[in-house]
Amino acid sequence: MRQAFRAAVLHCLADPGEGSDASALQFFDDGLLLVEDGRVIDIGDASTLMQQLSDDIAITEFPGKIIVPGFIDCHVHYPQLDIIASYGAQLLDWLNQYAFPVEAMFADEDHAREVAGVFLDELLRNGTTTALVFGTVHAHSADAIFEAAESRGMRLIAGKVLMDKNCPNELQDTPESAYADSKALIERWHGKGRLGYAITPRFALTSSEAQLAAAGRLASEYPDVWIHTHLAENKAEVEEIARQFPDSRSYLDVYDKNGLLRERSVFAHCLHMDDEDRTCMASKGGAAAFCPTSNLFLGSGLFDLRAMRTAGIRVGLGTDIGGGTSLSLLTTASEAYKVLHLQEQALPAPRALYLATLGAAEALYLDDKVGNFEPGKEADFAVLDPAGSSLTERRIRVASSIEESLFAITMLADDRHIAATYVAGKRSLIK
Ligand SMILES: [Zn+2]
């Protein structure tokens, strides 16, 4: 079935960089997005493309709104939805006080299913159509999020957490069960429709050497499966890693030695690392998830985007709920701007859009499928409403360019600024 959507249309063709390279952005003030069977077939000026349409095509019009590619969240924990905005702790205490107790509740399969549905509806409400998602240690936590994503038609990557030490007993698996459960989940879900599996060791402090080795074995047996973990988030954590892994040159080296650094490895945070680590990560194709609301909220540190991109590392934005404070990638980009501003780095609006869409797709090795509106890609998109709040509407009236409008929307936006979200050409019905 062929469909047409008329509004302003905006997407990135490449990384606009700190200098906001105009050729990396494509914008149609009165644009048309043509979709057939869930895929983009063309975009362009409405006046030109409408002449080529047959009369029987229904055109969905969004006057005054901006169609952008669906946002992609490169790091988020769905089981932590209910502890978002928990007061006062840094990473290691925060895990014990808040994250582990709420994850223990996922022993109940019905609870996992309920939270998975609410979580994905919240993503869609925020214009997010794809995410890389942590479950809990329970294998059925992965089943629950995959079932919920499948019923909504979303492109989603997730995995069950591996952890066998430094956490409550009821949240521990073993190297053997971690391997067997993950393998069964890969066989059940990886490549099924739009779903993909991620081997998900929580971080190096909660996995024994035997478990890290088992995860690495699995990663080599399934080279097109993702690896998803945390890296160098917090200074106390990095010091503990140095104590527990004296033979490793760095935190990244612990993962690398276990075969967990390769293409499709995604590391959340990457705050406290050196140039040797960056060169190594880039050369092996690993990617970083930049999670500014979490890094500020947990007092973890400032992500050095310039150093990461200069080294050639793929980077996308992550909300990192529940350490992060918003599921909106627009709000996340707004905090990214401030984190970079503190370090005398620039984040022009086109690059922020890139980090939330095409850049994130590149980080996840999904840029042949999603991330922008190149013909053939899956038609996942969000409809931005610049009048989502009266203040944003007022601000946009005096903007003189799309870059200025997009910047103001990014700084001021929340889920009220998402008028609709489409997944593979279908409007999502958010419950
Ligand atoms: Zn996280």
Side-chain angles (χ1 to χ4, degrees):
M1 187 185 67
R2 192 170 274 214
Q3 303 160 273
F5 301 91
R6 184 175 184 180
V9 179
L10 176 67
H11 70 152
C12 292
L13 302 171
D15 181 0
E18 281 193 64
S20 195
D21 173 9
S23 69
L25 197 69
Q26 196 172 34
F27 176 61
F28 302 98
D29 191 24
D30 179 13
L32 203 71
L33 173 68
L34 282 178
V35 173
E36 187 165 9
D37 299 331
R39 288 180 190 274
V40 175
I41 52 171
D42 207 355
I43 58 164
D45 282 317
S47 57
T48 314
L49 283 181
M50 297 218 343
Q51 291 170 7
Q52 304 164 17
L53 297 182
S54 57
D55 292 341
D56 57 341
I57 293 187
I59 300 175
T60 307
E61 302 203 356
F62 292 107
K65 301 192 173 44
I66 308 169
I67 293 176
V68 295
F71 299 127
I72 299 173
D73 189 337
C74 287
H75 178 67
V76 60
H77 303 247
Y78 93 85
Q80 296 176 7
L81 192 66
D82 293 340
I83 52 151
I84 186 172
S86 291
Y87 177 77
Q90 288 214 349
L91 175 66
L92 300 176
D93 292 331
W94 184 86
L95 284 171
N96 286 313
Q97 276 180 40
Y98 301 117
F100 292 152
V102 83
E103 292 190 16
M105 293 169 66
F106 279 67
D108 177 352
E109 286 184 43
D110 290 339
H111 177 70
R113 270 190 220 108
E114 193 265 335
V115 177
V118 171
F119 169 80
L120 291 185
D121 287 341
E122 284 298 318
L123 291 194
L124 293 166
R125 196 191 312 287
N126 283 285
T128 299
T129 49
T130 285
L132 174 60
V133 185
F134 259 67
T136 62
V137 74
H138 314 94
H140 61 246
S141 73
D143 290 320
I145 194 76
F146 283 130
E147 284 162 11
E150 189 174 44
S151 73
R152 288 163 179 76
M154 294 172 74
R155 181 164 284 290
L156 192 103
I157 307 167
K160 135 195 161 66
V161 170
L162 316 183
M163 52 181 181
D164 64 350
K165 66 175 205 184
N166 291 333
C167 64
N169 285 339
E170 72 264 30
L171 285 177
Q172 290 186 19
D173 55 6
T174 67
E176 296 74 24
S177 73
Y179 177 89
D181 287 349
S182 301
K183 192 178 171 89
L185 286 165
I186 291 168
E187 296 290 341
R188 196 176 312 147
W189 294 109
H190 184 67
K192 186 176 185 205
R194 304 185 79 196
L195 307 175
Y197 194 80
I199 300 162
T200 310
R202 173 169 229 115
F203 66 140
L205 288 184
T206 45
S207 284
S208 63
E209 301 238 17
Q211 186 171 73
L212 290 171
R217 210 159 54 244
L218 209 51
S220 70
E221 288 167 15
Y222 293 95
D224 66 340
V225 157
W226 283 265
I227 297 161
H228 184 198
T229 189
H230 297 91
L231 172 68
E233 177 175 1
N234 170 283
K235 282 195 173 140
E237 170 208 15
V238 173
E239 285 163 13
E240 191 56 34
I241 291 281
R243 265 193 294 278
Q244 293 200 19
F245 298 92
D247 298 334
S248 288
R249 193 200 73 80
S250 67
Y251 195 159
L252 181 65
D253 191 40
V254 175
Y255 293 129
D256 192 18
K257 276 201 173 100
N258 283 287
L260 295 169
L261 170 57
R262 61 155 167 74
E263 293 185 356
R264 297 178 181 236
S265 296
V266 181
F267 300 95
H269 308 304
C270 303
L271 302 182
H272 310 288
M273 52 197 278
D274 60 17
D275 283 342
E276 194 172 333
D277 278 338
R278 291 192 186 95
T279 304
C280 176
M281 188 186 278
S283 70
K284 299 203 171 182
F290 175 12
C291 307
T293 74
S294 170
N295 297 158
L296 294 172
F297 185 70
L298 296 180
S300 302
L302 304 178
F303 185 85
D304 189 343
L305 180 64
R306 187 183 291 160
M308 299 297 274
R309 292 298 286 165
T310 302
I313 295 169
R314 295 160 185 254
V315 178
L317 291 175
T319 63
D320 193 28
I321 297 301
T325 50
S326 171
L327 279 172
S328 164
L329 280 162
L330 293 169
T331 302
T332 303
S334 158
E335 297 304 297
Y337 172 82
K338 296 165 198 166
V339 161
L340 295 169
H341 216 28
L342 275 171
Q343 301 173 90
E344 299 181 14
Q345 298 183 29
L347 184 62
R351 193 180 219 193
L353 178 67
Y354 166 81
L355 291 175
T357 57
L358 182 61
E362 289 167 357
L364 300 182
Y365 288 78
L366 289 176
D367 49 307
D368 59 333
K369 297 183 173 64
V370 290
N372 64 10
F373 296 132
E374 281 172 6
K377 289 199 185 178
E378 297 160 355
D380 290 349
F381 58 93
V383 182
L384 290 185
D385 183 2
S389 73
S390 51
L391 179 61
T392 313
E393 183 177 27
R394 190 176 171 84
R395 173 64 184 87
I396 295 304
R397 261 186 250 149
V398 298
S400 58
S401 67
I402 180 61
E403 286 84 358
E404 185 182 346
S405 295
L406 183 62
F407 183 73
I409 294 167
T410 304
M411 292 303 116
L412 299 172
D414 52 32
D415 58 354
R416 290 172 298 170
H417 296 72
I418 305 296
T421 303
Y422 282 77
V423 170
K426 285 202 189 79
R427 188 165 183 154
S428 60
L429 298 170
I430 302 159
K431 291 172 193 87

